[in-house]
Structure formats: C-alpha cells, structure tokens
Amino acid sequence: MSIDLRRAESVRGGVYAAVLVALVVLLAALATLVVTDASQDLDGEVAQAAFDISYSRPWLVDLLEVIALVLSNVGVGIALAVVAAIAFGRREWRIGIWVVLSGVVAIGGNALVKLVFARPRPAWEDPVHEIGGYSFPSGHAAGAGVLFTVLAMLTIVATGRGWKRRILLSLWTLLALVTAADRVLLGVHYLTDVTAGLAFGALVAVALWLVVATDASRLPSELAVLTGTGRKRAAVVLNPSKVADVEEFKTRVRLVADQNEWNEPLWFETTVEDPGYGQAQAALEADVDLIVAAGGDGTVRAVCEEAARTGVAVAIIPHGTGNLLARNLGVPLNPRDALEVAFGGQDKAIDLARFTTDAGVDTSFLVMAGLGMDAMIMTGVNDELKKKVGWAAYFVSGVKALRFPGMKVTITVDDAEPRTFRARTVVIGNVGFLQAGLPLLPDAQVDDGELDVVVIAPRRLFGWVSIALRVIARRKRTNDRLDRFTGRRVHVKASGPTPMQLDGDPVDEGTEITAEVRPGVLLVRVPVVPTTKA
C-alpha cells in the first residue's frame, strides 16, 4: 500500500503534543530519581531478580547476547539505513531524511546524555556479561526506542486499519520491550536506564516526525477531493445481508461524512429482487454528488452500471468475499479506511465492459468475465463455507473443478483472424489481479481502454502447477498452455454449452460471449495521489 501521511493524523487534536509532553515528563522524572538516588532500592531489587534468572541459565545468557548484538547501535544503524534507502528509492525524501536524523540524534544524543549523568553500571562479583561505559540512559534501549518508533510510524502511514496494522504495531512494541529486558537480564543496566532509553528514542523520533516528515504539500487540496457539484451530497446503497450491523455502519458513515464536511447521506437498501439498480437510480434522481456502494461485487456492479456516463462518482465500501474491484483500485478492504477514501479520496475515470451472451444476458462487468473452469469454480462455491473462510472457499471449489474437461473455443479479438484453442477456461479481464494479489493478467489496467484475455489450457492435471508458477512469477512469455492478448472487443465461441461468469457471479450456460470495453465511462473514488514527494 502507498504511503499516505493522513493516516498519521489524529482525529483528536493535540495527541502528538500530549505524547511529547508525557515523554518529556517521564524522562525528567527518571532523571530526578537517578540524580537523587531515589530509585536505588527499586533498581537494585529488579536488577538482582533479573540477574538471578539469567545467572543459572547459560543458554539464556547466550540468547541474550545474540539479541544484544543484533539490536546494538550498529545493528540499529544498519536497519535504519536500509529503511532510509527504501524511502529514498521511492522518492520519499522527507521520510528518508527523518529516518536518518532520528537515528543520528537518538544514538548520538543518548551517548552525550550518558556523559552528563555518568551513572555507574550494576556491579556483580561474577557478571554474566561485561561491558564498559556509563549506564543511564541505556544506549541499546534508546536505539530500540527510535528504531521501533520509526517502524511504527511507517506502519501507520503505509497500512490501513485492520489486523495487519495491529500485528505489526504489536510486534514493534514487543521487540522494543525485549531489547530493554535483555539489558536488565544481562545485568548491565537498571530498570530506570532502559525505561529512559526507550523514552528518549521515541521522543526523538516523534519530535522529528512533526518537524521533518509531515509535509502540507503531500496532503490533498480541497479541489482534489471534491466530486460532482461540490455540494457534498451523498447517497449510500447498502446490502443489508453483507453488512453485519446496519445501524452501527450508518453511525460510522455519518461520523466520517461529518468529519469531511459532507451532508447527511441518503440511505437505500438493496433487496433480493433488486441488487442495487433501482436504488442507484433513485440516488441519481435525488441529484447526489456521490453514491457509496456498500456490499459485495454484485452490489458494486449494479451501482456502477447505473452510474456510468452520469458524471456521478461511486465509492466502494467492500463487504463481500471477492472485492476484486476494490483490490485492484487500491481501495482499502477495511470498511473504516474505505469510508475515509469515499469522503476524502479523489475521482478516477475507469473503463466498464459490456457483456452479452447467446443465452440472452446483456449487462456489464467491471472486473472479469469468462467461461469454462473459472465459471465452474464460481458455481461450485459453498455459500456456508464462504461465510466462514471468505475467499479461501474459492480454492476449495477450484480443487474440485480441476477435472473440468477441455473445450474447443474460437476467439476473435477486434478485427483479427479468429483463433481456435483447446482450453479449460477463458477469462476476459478489465483488471489483472485476483485474490491474494495473484496477477492473472499482469498488464491489465482498469483505465487503458482495452480488455485483456487469458486462455488457460493445461494438458494434464499436473500442468496446473507450471501454469500457477508462471502466473505467480508474472512471466509474460506465452505458449499453447497459457496465452494472452488484448483488444477492445472480444468474442468467444465454445463448441458446446459451457458455464459462464462475470465479476464472480455465475450466469446461464451458453456457447458465445461478447465483451466490449467502454473507456472511461465511470468515475470511482480512489485514495488521493500526492502531487509531490519533494
């Protein structure tokens, strides 16, 4: 996910100031305790208890020394240099400079602070680990404080809310605490030493973030996030069967809309009979500037089909299993983050594809359509399993569909000569990536005015392995087992009735599919692209 500095902005004002004040107060309190020897009893008790634990366990000492080596100032410096290099490589100049300055100031400044306090290290008759220098604050802890604060800030600006962010932030916190505990267990620091070191490193990183990394030019202008008439009137088309708690969702929508100064949204709920067409039409008749589609791919497709060529943008709040359009547009899958894109993102014109079959189907698709084995997968998915394990249910169905027999298909792209294949499946894509980021059509772009086609024809069951490896590796070389081509109009004719699908939903069996791109007819809300990275 791209870096978005707005993710590090607090909804409540003054949070950074409060954090900085808390860290300064903590450091001042610890320094006072050390200077007055008021912490001597507590530090001594903790140090003795820690020493007793490690002294009788040589294996633990060995492990602690490895940790101390890896997370030494040299190790932290190398890690920060790698992070800075990555930032510079992505032209994130301010962030790269922030990382470098944070490391230099924290590690160098901590060494100077040690000289001011000149606190002796804990003394043992038979130490488990020996090291020279002064004790307060801990250099290892200061390095850990700055390194893991840097990683925490980068995690926040590079990931949306959800389990990934929570896991990473928990990991950085745990590693910082492990570093601090390591120094106490090795008997070379007191509790106040490592606490002060962590606080000092974090203080430096947070303070320099505010001074160096934040950049008003990276934040979108008001014009960038406006849509429609600019009157900020929105309608929400939601699928109640996909939204777990409708009232809670409405409350969250109102909150984000209000924060972005949008008016109270209009509300429309889909039904079994109407997955979103009528509701989207009602929203358009209400003269709104934005339609928020909250549901699965079916709801999104219905809303987008109605909104095409109207100039009214569609925002996607993923609540389904596939959510392929959202994935390919970079819209966060976490509904809370997706709402922020809806009301604070920018408009992007994308293509829509018309889809017709000889069975009488005449509709549109946004993601992918096809016939053959892929349609068998969609048809064979167990709905109850899908509710429990999400998109992994498609994998189970896919294993069952591996024995789908090959079929003779004739494919005509634009005005080219028809080509005949013996294929298992044919997929026509407006986007390129499947769940888990699998690049089935790696060159497909949602706004390039073309459709991409892939023909998959393994000769044997084990042929799927080589095809899967080629897809994962994004190899562009084609052959008779996996072939790709592009065009504005694609016609596929099968030798007999074959299952068909569009955007993950099965449609009636037929022998012919025609797909034709409609370039740039739909506006969708996507994350804001910064105008500069200087």
Side-chain angles (χ1 to χ4, degrees):
M1 183 178 288
S2 62
I3 289 177
D4 187 345
L5 296 182
R6 292 178 299 166
R7 297 191 184 103
E9 290 185 331
S10 174
V11 176
R12 302 179 181 87
V15 169
Y16 283 111
V19 170
L20 291 175
V21 169
L23 290 172
V24 170
V25 170
L26 175 59
L27 282 170
L30 291 170
T32 302
L33 291 174
V34 170
V35 170
T36 61
D37 288 332
S39 65
Q40 185 174 3
D41 290 341
L42 177 61
D43 276 339
E45 290 177 5
V46 173
Q48 185 63 59
F51 184 82
D52 291 341
I53 291 174
S54 55
Y55 184 79
S56 58
R57 296 173 175 84
W59 63 268
L60 178 58
V61 174
D62 292 340
L63 176 60
L64 293 171
E65 289 181 338
V66 171
I67 295 173
L69 178 63
V70 172
L71 292 174
S72 65
N73 286 344
V74 174
V76 167
I78 293 173
L80 290 174
V82 171
V83 173
I86 294 173
F88 289 135
R90 297 184 59 176
R91 303 179 66 82
E92 295 285 356
W93 306 114
R94 284 178 175 266
I95 289 179
I97 293 171
W98 164 67
V99 173
V100 172
L101 286 178
S102 295
V104 171
V105 174
I107 295 175
N110 188 81
L112 294 176
V113 174
K114 280 191 174 191
L115 296 177
V116 172
F117 287 90
R119 186 187 197 186
R121 294 183 182 274
W124 310 100
E125 291 185 5
D126 185 15
V128 297
H129 183 82
E130 294 186 87
I131 187 172
Y134 296 119
S135 185
F136 181 88
S138 164
H140 277 72
V146 70
L147 173 61
F148 296 118
T149 301
V150 164
L151 293 178
M153 294 300 298
L154 292 179
T155 297
I156 290 171
V157 299
T159 63
R161 296 186 185 92
W163 62 268
K164 184 186 296 185
R165 175 187 286 185
R166 290 193 292 270
I167 289 176
L168 287 174
L169 291 179
S170 299
L171 176 62
W172 307 143
T173 303
L174 176 62
L175 289 176
L177 295 176
V178 165
T179 306
D182 175 89
R183 308 308 290 162
V184 178
L185 287 167
L186 281 175
V188 295
H189 278 293
Y190 296 109
L191 177 62
T192 49
D193 298 338
V194 296
T195 306
L198 290 176
F200 183 74
L203 174 65
V204 169
V206 174
L208 288 176
W209 173 268
L210 296 178
V211 175
V212 179
T214 54
D215 181 7
S217 68
R218 295 294 309 278
L219 303 178
S221 68
E222 292 184 3
L223 292 178
V225 299
L226 287 180
T227 190
T229 65
R231 287 175 286 186
K232 294 194 172 183
R233 296 172 302 179
V236 181
V237 177
L238 66 93
N239 184 339
S241 68
K242 298 289 186 179
V243 179
D245 189 327
V246 172
E247 291 306 315
E248 180 185 354
F249 174 73
K250 288 184 177 181
T251 300
R252 187 176 298 167
V253 172
R254 292 188 181 101
L255 176 62
V256 177
D258 183 65
Q259 289 172 350
N260 288 273
E261 300 180 346
W262 282 72
N263 296 312
E264 168 72 21
L266 303 176
W267 301 94
F268 302 91
E269 294 189 10
T270 66
T271 62
V272 175
E273 296 77 18
D274 188 345
Y277 294 100
Q279 295 82 354
Q281 186 59 45
L284 292 170
E285 292 173 357
D287 197 24
V288 298
D289 301 305
L290 174 70
I291 302 178
V292 179
D297 289 332
T299 302
V300 172
R301 182 175 67 252
V303 172
C304 289
E305 195 169 354
E306 289 297 316
R309 290 198 173 96
T310 66
V312 176
V314 176
I316 303 169
I317 312 298
H319 279 282
T321 303
N323 302 319
L324 283 181
L325 182 60
R327 295 172 190 268
N328 281 270
L329 289 174
V331 174
L333 299 186
N334 182 293
R336 293 176 63 186
D337 288 317
L339 279 172
E340 293 180 1
V341 172
F343 293 105
Q346 66 185 31
D347 293 347
K348 177 184 177 70
I350 68 170
D351 304 336
L352 194 66
R354 185 182 179 187
F355 177 88
T356 58
T357 74
D358 62 328
V361 177
D362 188 350
T363 183
S364 300
F365 70 90
L366 291 153
V367 180
M368 296 179 184
L371 76 168
M373 179 184 144
D374 68 309
M376 282 294 296
I377 294 174
M378 306 306 171
T379 304
V381 170
N382 184 294
D383 290 335
E384 291 301 318
L385 182 62
K386 187 165 68 172
K387 291 179 181 178
K388 295 179 180 178
V389 301
W391 63 265
Y394 290 102
F395 176 79
V396 177
S397 180
V399 172
K400 296 178 181 178
L402 283 176
R403 297 186 179 278
F404 182 81
M407 57 186 173
K408 183 179 179 181
V409 294
T410 301
I411 302 175
T412 305
V413 179
D414 295 334
D415 297 324
E417 290 293 322
R419 298 178 61 184
T420 300
F421 301 85
R422 182 74 180 177
R424 294 284 188 93
T425 189
V426 178
V427 177
I428 306 168
N430 193 33
V431 301
F433 290 84
L434 301 174
Q435 287 92 343
L438 291 177
L440 182 63
L441 296 162
D443 295 327
Q445 299 292 330
V446 75
D447 58 353
D448 61 359
E450 290 190 328
L451 296 172
D452 289 60
V453 185
V454 61
V455 180
I456 300 177
R459 294 175 183 174
R460 299 177 183 84
L461 184 62
F462 289 105
W464 285 106
V465 176
S466 63
I467 289 176
L469 292 175
R470 287 176 58 189
V471 168
I472 294 172
R474 302 191 185 190
R475 296 178 183 171
K476 296 184 178 181
R477 183 177 59 84
T478 60
N479 55 25
D480 58 347
R481 299 181 185 182
L482 190 150
D483 206 351
R484 297 187 178 103
F485 25 87
T486 61
R488 296 173 62 87
R489 185 178 185 276
V490 180
H491 178 77
V492 183
K493 182 176 182 180
S495 56
T498 307
M500 301 177 177
Q501 65 87 14
L502 74 156
D503 288 350
D505 292 331
V507 296
D508 295 336
E509 286 192 354
T511 58
E512 295 185 47
I513 282 179
T514 301
E516 187 170 2
V517 70
R518 296 173 174 176
V521 299
L522 177 66
L523 290 177
V524 294
R525 298 288 271 179
V526 298
V528 172
V529 178
T531 56
T532 177
K533 293 185 179 181

